[in-house]
Structures are given as structure tokens and as C-alpha cells.
Amino acid sequence: EDQVTQSPEALRLQEGESSSLNCSYTVSGLRGLFWYRQDPGKGPEFLFTLYSAGEEKEKERLKATLTKKESFLHITAPKPEDSATYLCAVQAILGGATNKLIFGTGTLLAVQP
Amino acid sequence: SAVISQKPSRDICQRGTSLTIQCQVDSQVTMMFWYRQQPGQSLTLIATANQGSEATYESGFVIDKFPISRPNLTFSTLTVSNMSPEDSSIYLCSVGTAQQYFGPGTRLTVL
């Protein structure tokens, strides 16, 4: 069964304190791995797509990496505005034409000034 | 990326009633998706809605409970029927193929 597990569930950082969020996945065949940011009361906001092991994507203070079993979202020198829930999702290669995303439960990040 | 709006943004409903949620996209899209986000749980796909065909439901979700309409390429509705408190959740629509873009969600509370 396709599955996504994120850790930690919650993370509290001081402003400027770098860290990483983990997303472990099992999928029959990976079409893509996605990272989203979700602020309270809003829908998920797309951040990155990774397609193959070894791939990396960067955006401001965020960097996403991918291996065959997991993905990391590295946050360098975070600021309070980076506080949000970060969601990881995978899209599997299924028999039919579907774009179904399988989500983890997310990591709630709080960055204190 | 597409701009997606949902109505209503939130509602409080009585047990046994039904609520229809609207999703409007600013461009024509082939596939639209409806997700549920229950407190403390991951987003779960309810169904995929293609224009001109019946919606495809995921395991655990049935058409009688969550009927979906897709009258054109920019609009879809999800109805939550005969509601119970367990249906209290955030309902989100999304569009996209390689990457999906989400609407702001509808926060539903059932008393």
C-alpha cells in the first residue's frame, strides 16, 4: 500500500536555526514527490516537485532533496514567516490515468524570533 | 498556476442536512479533485471529477454521500449529504496534472 510518513510532527526553531523535515514514502512506482506549505485557514500552497532520486530544488530558504525512500526539506536560517505546516505528498504510477496525491500528516513548524 | 475559489468558506450545519460546496477555476481544466482534511489527519482524496463523465470515487467514499457535478471545464460542486458530526472537516478542491493547485477550502462544522 502506498504510504507517506512525515517527521517530526511538530518542530520549534529559533530564528536562524537551520533544520530539516523528513518525508518517508513507500509507493509502487513514483511519478513525483511534492512539497506544500499550508497556513492556518488556507489551502496548501505548492512549493516543489521532485521526480527522481538525486534531484534537488531550491526556493529562498528552502531546499528539497529526494532519495529512493525519502525526501528532506531543509530550512536554512528560518524566519518567523516560515512558520506553517509543511505537507509532503507522492503521486504513484498507477494502471490508469490518475493524478491522485497521497499525503502525509504534515510537520507543524514554528519559528520563534 | 490556476486561481481557485470555493464557496462557502465556512458553514455550520445541522445533522441530517446537506451542503453543496462550489469550486470555480479561472481557466479550463480537464480534471478536478475533491479532498477532505479532517482534524489531525492527512488530506484524503474523495473523488476525481472529469467534465462529461461520472466522477471516480476513492475507496471509502460513495456517490450517495458525496455527489459531484462537473457541468463545464471551470466549475464543480461537491455535496455532503445527510451530514453527521463525523463529516466536520475541511473540504478542498484542486486542479492540475503534474502538480496540483488547491483552493482555499471550505470549513464545515456539523452539530
Side-chain angles (χ1 to χ4, degrees), chain B residues 19-50:
Chain B
L19 176 71
T20 296
I21 301 168
Q22 300 178 5
C23 179
Q24 179 76 51
V25 189
D26 69 341
S27 58
Q28 294 184 340
V29 294
T30 303
M31 301 174 80
M32 296 179 77
F33 306 89
W34 287 98
Y35 286 83
R36 181 173 72 180
Q37 188 174 30
Q38 293 181 304
Q41 298 188 26
S42 59
L43 275 83
T44 302
L45 181 65
I46 297 172
T48 302
N50 292 332

Side-chain angles (χ1 to χ4, degrees), chain A residues 5-107:
Chain A
T5 303
Q6 292 188 245
S7 62
E9 290 185 6
L11 180 62
R12 182 173 295 181
L13 300 174
Q14 292 296 124
E15 184 171 3
E17 179 187 1
S18 301
S19 188
S20 297
L21 312 182
N22 178 263
C23 171
S24 298
Y25 65 91
T26 54
V27 65
S28 52
L30 183 68
R31 177 179 288 175
L33 184 140
F34 304 84
W35 282 99
Y36 288 85
R37 170 190 170 129
Q38 188 173 25
D39 293 295
K42 296 186 177 182
E45 174 189 347
F46 171 77
L47 293 174
F48 303 110
T49 307
L50 301 167
Y51 293 106
S52 57
E55 189 175 0
E56 298 181 353
K57 294 277 182 71
E58 283 190 72
K59 179 181 180 181
E60 297 181 356
R61 295 177 292 282
L62 300 177
K63 179 180 178 181
T65 62
L66 180 65
T67 72
K68 289 186 178 180
K69 294 183 178 181
E70 59 191 349
S71 176
F72 291 94
L73 185 65
H74 307 279
I75 304 176
T76 302
K79 298 181 178 182
E81 53 262 42
D82 295 321
S83 298
T85 297
Y86 290 86
L87 302 172
C88 173
V90 297
Q91 196 173 62
I93 299 173
L94 301 177
T98 176
N99 298 322
K100 174 182 178 179
L101 292 178
I102 301 165
F103 280 87
T105 52
T107 294

Side-chain angles (χ1 to χ4, degrees), chain B:
Chain B
S1 64
V3 176
I4 305 169
S5 60
Q6 287 185 233
K7 290 182 180 179
S9 59
R10 58 177 61 227
D11 207 342
I12 300 173
C13 301
Q14 295 297 319
R15 180 195 299 261
T17 63
S18 298
L19 176 71
T20 296
I21 301 168
Q22 300 178 5
C23 179
Q24 179 76 51
V25 189
D26 69 341
S27 58
Q28 294 184 340
V29 294
T30 303
M31 301 174 80
M32 296 179 77
F33 306 89
W34 287 98
Y35 286 83
R36 181 173 72 180
Q37 188 174 30
Q38 293 181 304
Q41 298 188 26
S42 59
L43 275 83
T44 302
L45 181 65
I46 297 172
T48 302
N50 292 332
Q51 197 271 334
S53 63
E54 293 290 323
T56 302
Y57 289 83
E58 296 296 310
S59 175
F61 298 97
V62 295
I63 188 171
D64 290 345
K65 176 67 175 177
F66 298 102
I68 289 172
S69 77
R70 184 79 202 275
N72 57 53
L73 290 173
T74 64
F75 187 79
S76 178
T77 67
L78 170 76
T79 298
V80 186
S81 302
N82 188 25
M83 290 184 285
S84 66
E86 293 71 37
D87 294 319
S88 297
S89 184
I90 299 173
Y91 292 86
L92 298 130
C93 67
S94 73
V95 302
T97 51
Q99 51 221 31
Q100 290 182 21
Y101 299 94
F102 285 82
T106 296
R107 182 179 293 274
L108 171 61
T109 301
V110 184
L111 303 178

